[in-house]
Amino acid sequence: MTQLIVANRMWFTNFSSSGNNVVVKGIALDNKTVADFMTRLENANIFSVVNLDTIQHKSVQNIDMKSFSITCNKAN
């Protein structure tokens, strides 16, 4: 999973797994970074479905960022 990260543009804050679902939470510099990460997840062939649950504005040390949550379904 860490090999799929968009370096220096996003950071993970939480992972959780339940059955075939994996939830990835993090912060990113912008919407494009989140979209690029989702594309990398889809192209890795680890997951059959990748869905953006939420994306919200978040200020981190006075820097405007995006907080996100993505749910992935493991490929069979």
Side-chain angles (χ1 to χ4, degrees), residues 31-43:
N31 290 340
K32 182 179 181 328
T33 301
V34 176
D36 290 347
F37 176 59
M38 291 180 67
T39 299
R40 291 178 181 196
L41 288 171
E42 291 168 342
N43 292 337

Side-chain angles (χ1 to χ4, degrees), residues 1-6 9-15 23-28 37 41 68 70:
M1 182 72 69
T2 57
Q3 295 172 343
L4 302 175
I5 197 167
V6 181
R9 300 198 53 80
M10 63 172 287
W11 299 267
F12 296 134
T13 59
N14 190 292
F15 286 98
V23 177
V24 180
K25 295 183 180 185
I27 55 172
F37 176 59
L41 288 171
F68 65 87
I70 297 170

Side-chain angles (χ1 to χ4, degrees), residues 45-73:
N45 296 321
I46 300 168
F47 303 106
S48 58
V49 178
V50 176
N51 288 316
L52 179 64
D53 296 324
T54 62
I55 189 164
Q56 298 176 333
H57 170 81
K58 183 173 184 171
S59 182
V60 179
Q61 297 181 354
N62 294 324
I63 299 171
D64 291 336
M65 302 192 68
K66 300 295 179 178
S67 172
F68 65 87
S69 176
I70 297 170
T71 300
C72 307
N73 297 337

